[in-house]
Each structure stands twice: as C-alpha cells, then as structure tokens.
C-alpha cells in the first residue's frame, strides 16, 4: 500500500471464540476521503470501528496510521493522535448542559480535567470555542442533555467528537433513530464541517440514500469480510450485495 494513506488496515482479524467478527480485512484510506461502510447486522462493521479506534484489541493483523503501527497504542493515545469516534447510541452525561459537555471534550483534548462545580483557571478562553461548536449544529448551550431530542443528541455526540479536533473521524450510524427530515440536516452539517476542516471520515450507515448522496466510496461487509469496495453505484450493483439487499 502507498505511503499516502492516512490509515491502512492489513489482514485484520477479531475472533470471539468461534465467531469471526472481523475476518482478514484489508483496505486503505487516503487523506480527505469520505467512506461509507454498510452490511447486514452482524457483518462486523462496528467491531471494525472498535478495532481502529482502540476500543478492542485485534486477534491478529495490523493497523497503520500515519505510517506508524498503532496496534499497541491505547484508545486515549489514539484520540491524541487524531483518531476519534462517535457511537450509535451516544454515551452522554445526562445532567450536563450542552455547554458543559463541550467544555469537557475540549479540555480532554488539551489534557486537562474539568469540575463543573468549581471555577477552572482559564475557562473563559474556551467559551468562544464552545459557542462555535454549539452554533455549528444549532444546539442551545444551556439545554440539559436529558432534554435533547434524539436528533440533537446525535448532533451533540458528533460536536463532541469534532471538539477533539480529529484527523480521522469514525461515525457509527449517525442517522439511526432520527426522522427522515433530521437525517439529511445532520449529514449536511457534518459533511460541511468535515470539508471545511479537511477531516477524513469513515461512517457506518445502513441508509442507502445517505450513502449515495454523501459518500463517494462504499465498503460492504458480510460475515466479517469485505465483499465489495468501490464507488457506491458499483458496489450496490454487485450481485452478492444485491442479493443481501433483497433486490
């Protein structure tokens, strides 16, 4: 593979006993690429993202990021190096406000801690950054997280990921559980910011409308393996993919 790749996955495997969740997966990601990952339930999509982000260790294989082997690097260290992920079900502190959550994310990036019950030295210099991220997604800073709609929670989770200033952003089902109207608003916002900041993005997505509209490249997985990789149009025309899609 070329040195121009930001990320390389080489013969990656993750087995849980006899279950081959990820089974000999190899692909490369160039800087600035937008890639969708699709496939049926149990295809290994989320496990693959968990391996790249460091949430799970691989059974075997290599993950190369910026031409460095990161197999033994922790999740936190990967975040510091620019690999950031969101979750299909956002993991948020329910009693935080949007503002408090964003401050926490920004301070994590800076290697500092934040206690919402105490003044933090130099906190005022974060406010402008918080305002920027909240306004990008039309989020009210003073709103409590437990009062957010499903779409707003998704947006906040992505805003928190972006506040960590990623080079490589991994999103797991960013439009699941939201209305048809909201899903395009979410992706329009995300892709606009991704483009402005030149962030490379890999997104797990089940919605073909989203994939065809926003992602030039699609990787389709089944039973832990990649069965098709290319343009969205070429992948959805693949006979194996069409059979799985029920077409």
């Amino acid at each position: 593979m070329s040195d121009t790749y930001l990320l390389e996955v080489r013969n990656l495997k993750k087995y849980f006993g006899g279950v081959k969740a990820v089974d000999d997966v190899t692909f490369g990601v160039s800087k600035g690429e937008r890639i969708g990952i699709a496939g049926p339930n149990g295809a290994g999509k989320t496990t693959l993202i968990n391996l790249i982000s460091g949430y799970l260790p691989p059974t075997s294989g290599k993950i190369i990021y910026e031409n460095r082997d990161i197999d033994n690097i922790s999740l936190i260290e990967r975040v510091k190096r620019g690999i950031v992920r969101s979750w299909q079900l956002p993991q948020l502190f329910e009693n935080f406000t949007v503002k408090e959550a964003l401050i926490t994310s920004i301070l994590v990036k800076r290697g500092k801690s934040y206690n919402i019950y105490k003044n933090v030295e130099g906190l005022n210099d974060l406010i402008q950054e918080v305002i920027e991220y909240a306004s990008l997604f039309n989020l009210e800073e003073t709103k409590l997280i437990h009062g957010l709609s499903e779409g707003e929670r998704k947006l906040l989770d992505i805003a928190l990921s972006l506040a960590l200033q990623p080079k490589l952003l991994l999103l797991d089902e960013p439009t699941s559980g939201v209305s048809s109207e909201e899903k395009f608003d979410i992706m329009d916002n995300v892709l606009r910011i991704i483009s402005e900041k030149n962030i490379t993005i890999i997104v797990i997505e089940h919605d073909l409308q989203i994939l065809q509209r926003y992602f030039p490249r699609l990787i389709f997985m089944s039973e832990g393996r990649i069965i098709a990789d290319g343009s969205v149009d070429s992948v959805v025309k693949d006979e194996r993919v069409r059979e799985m899609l029920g077409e």
Side-chain angles (χ1 to χ4, degrees), residues 49-199:
I49 294 299
N50 285 339
L51 293 170
I52 295 170
S53 64
Y55 190 75
L56 288 174
T59 300
S60 64
K62 293 291 181 184
I63 301 171
I64 310 297
Y65 175 71
E66 293 186 322
N67 298 317
R68 296 180 181 179
D69 187 334
I70 61 170
D71 292 351
N72 296 317
I73 294 177
S74 70
L75 185 153
I76 296 300
E77 184 59 32
R78 293 185 202 203
V79 170
K80 291 178 180 178
R81 295 189 183 199
I83 301 175
V84 176
R85 67 160 302 166
S86 72
W87 303 85
Q88 183 176 356
L89 298 175
Q91 302 181 11
L92 305 169
F93 292 104
E94 296 292 322
N95 293 322
F96 271 27
T97 63
V98 168
K99 178 180 179 180
E100 290 164 345
L102 284 166
I103 288 173
T104 302
S105 188
I106 294 167
L107 288 177
V108 166
K109 177 62 178 178
R110 298 184 182 185
K112 299 178 181 180
S113 60
Y114 172 44
N115 186 328
I116 63 173
Y117 301 106
K118 296 179 181 179
N119 292 324
V120 177
E121 184 179 353
L123 188 60
N124 288 339
D125 71 347
L126 301 177
I127 299 305
Q128 189 57 44
E129 197 169 349
V130 169
I131 292 171
E132 175 188 348
Y133 284 111
S135 64
L136 283 173
F137 293 101
N138 297 316
L139 294 167
E140 295 180 29
E141 299 166 47
T142 58
K143 198 167 184 178
L144 287 169
I145 289 173
H146 67 69
L148 297 178
S149 69
E150 192 66 32
E152 288 173 328
R153 293 170 72 89
K154 291 278 189 179
L155 288 172
L156 176 58
D157 191 41
I158 297 168
L160 295 174
S161 299
L162 289 170
L164 292 168
Q165 299 177 1
K167 297 178 184 177
L168 173 62
L169 180 61
L170 312 169
L171 301 183
D172 193 350
E173 300 278 9
T175 67
S176 68
V178 302
S179 67
S180 297
E181 296 79 11
E182 285 181 306
K183 70 181 182 181
F184 291 113
D185 288 340
I186 288 173
M187 292 311 300
D188 283 342
N189 275 329
V190 171
L191 270 298
R192 173 174 52 80
I193 297 163
I194 293 301
S195 179
E196 289 173 358
K197 297 181 180 292
N198 196 31
I199 298 169

Side-chain angles (χ1 to χ4, degrees), residues 206-209 212 220 232-247:
H206 68 280
D207 191 317
L208 280 178
Q209 284 185 309
Q212 290 172 323
F220 198 94
V232 176
D233 288 343
S234 68
V235 169
V236 297
K237 290 176 182 176
D238 184 284
E239 288 187 11
R240 294 165 298 175
V241 173
R242 289 173 63 85
E243 183 178 346
M244 291 179 191
L245 295 174
E247 297 182 0

